[in-house]
Amino acid sequence: MLLDKIEELLKEVSTLTAKSADDVEQLRLKYLSKKGEINALMGEFRNVAAEQKKAVGMKINELKQSAQNKINELKDQLETSEAQSDDIDLTRTAYPITLGTRHPLTLVKNEIIDIFARMGFTLYQGPEIDDDQHVFTMLNFAADHPARDMQDTFFIERSSTMDVTKNVLLRSHTSNDEAHYMSTHEPPIRVLCPGRVYRNEAISARAHCFFHQVEGLYVDKNVSFTDLKQVLLTFAREMFGADTKIRLRPSYFPFTEPSAEMDISCNICGGEGCGFCKHTGWVEILGCGMVDPHDLEACGIDSNVYTGYAFGMGVERIANLKYRVSDLRLFSENDTRFLREFEGA
């Protein structure tokens, strides 16, 4: 009877399967532990007749060895299977994952920064959420001046009904960085301020409620408009080509005087006139001017000793010209079909 039971267990052990490490452990406990099937056979072995003990003992050893080998085999199979298979994360992008590229605005911004860095400008980035004091008041925007309407932005907190300088808002230009920098540094100052800005605009192909700017500031003794013109000419030729021409048209900004808008010869038609430049041969790219003495004094700089110039450009505007993108909204929609067009850049 005991030999028949051993034979049944041998057949049972030979067909064992396991789907996990827990299954293997349960099989080990069932057959090889102190309370397992094989150890129970040893208790019955004491009642076997003397002439059968040798044969039965050999069968029990065979069963024990078979069970041990089978459990080790199952364990090895599971470890090999786990090593060869990858866990599937259904939330990940389907394989193969393609390499991306820098955003076109980042490409253009980095190129602008690189050009001015070679002319000695250092980088400074300030807060996107700032107070009226640095965004408007220190830059010669009077509390009731209509120039504020030109840069209508989004106000977060009205701290005082009597003092607009304490209002908290999303900056409408990166000129606030220049106010911060001039307030904490002594001339000579040659700084470049890139960043995102916000304005209360109706979103269209030509305008958005947020965009990106790069502004530059140079303050030192005997700085003139001639210096500004030469720096901007150098930038235009580095960015758009050595044959690029510039022209400066009188304009108005509260924080510069005199002020100018700068146009470049259309890089699409070469200045001959086309639909892009409205057949004028010129395209506007930035505003500039000499820093108003009020701004210098408001930031603690003696306007009788120091002068300076400032300029500011929209990164989207430069990207439009460089890559001929007709709709400003494409830059923020994250359409990968559009972004893949810049892999070569």
Side-chain angles (χ1 to χ4, degrees), residues 9 14 32 46 56 60-61 94 96 135 137 174 183 213 246 265 267 278 310 317:
L9 288 172
S14 66
L32 299 173
R46 291 192 295 269
V56 173
I60 291 176
N61 286 335
V135 177
T137 306
T174 57
S183 299
Q213 275 191 340
I246 68 169
S265 52
N267 63 326
K278 300 179 181 178
R317 181 67 168 169

Side-chain angles (χ1 to χ4, degrees), residues 10-17 70:
L10 279 169
K11 291 179 181 179
E12 185 177 315
V13 166
S14 66
T15 60
L16 293 178
T17 59
K70 187 65 176 179

Side-chain angles (χ1 to χ4, degrees), residues 131-310:
D131 54 39
D132 187 294
Q133 176 76 12
H134 289 87
V135 177
F136 291 129
T137 306
M138 294 176 72
L139 300 174
N140 207 25
F141 287 84
D144 57 351
H145 198 285
R148 284 174 177 258
D149 294 338
M150 298 164 57
Q151 298 192 17
D152 185 19
T153 186
F154 301 95
F155 286 80
I156 297 173
E157 179 182 318
R158 189 178 184 184
S159 301
S160 171
T161 56
M162 302 299 295
D163 186 0
V164 298
T165 65
K166 292 183 171 58
N167 290 339
V168 179
L169 50 96
L170 297 178
R171 65 182 180 185
S172 58
H173 49 195
T174 57
S175 300
N176 70 313
D177 291 354
E178 297 173 7
H180 280 287
Y181 197 89
M182 284 193 292
S183 299
T184 55
H185 295 75
E186 295 183 358
I189 293 171
R190 195 191 298 257
V191 66
L192 202 65
C193 305
R196 183 165 47 192
V197 301
Y198 305 84
R199 294 189 189 175
N200 185 15
E201 299 272 4
I203 299 174
S204 67
R206 298 178 60 86
H208 212 296
C209 61
F210 71 90
F211 57 100
H212 299 79
Q213 275 191 340
V214 176
E215 296 199 19
L217 172 72
Y218 178 40
V219 178
D220 203 349
K221 296 178 180 178
N222 302 317
V223 177
S224 69
F225 204 97
T226 303
D227 300 320
L228 170 62
K229 182 179 179 181
Q230 189 59 44
V231 163
L232 295 180
L233 177 61
T234 302
F235 162 73
R237 289 178 174 174
E238 288 286 326
M239 176 62 73
F240 298 105
D243 295 331
T244 303
K245 299 179 178 64
I246 68 169
R247 73 176 184 183
L248 297 170
R249 294 177 288 106
S251 186
Y252 167 76
F253 302 108
F255 35 82
T256 54
E257 180 61 36
S259 303
E261 302 278 3
M262 189 181 94
D263 304 332
I264 62 167
S265 52
C266 181
N267 63 326
I268 295 177
C269 65
E272 297 295 323
C274 64
F276 185 82
C277 62
K278 300 179 181 178
H279 301 283
T280 65
W282 297 94
V283 180
E284 178 188 325
I285 67 166
L286 60 83
C288 60
M290 299 300 293
V291 178
D292 193 293
H294 170 276
D295 298 7
L296 297 174
E297 296 291 345
C299 295
I301 297 175
D302 189 346
S303 61
N304 294 315
V305 178
Y306 296 100
T307 54
Y309 62 70

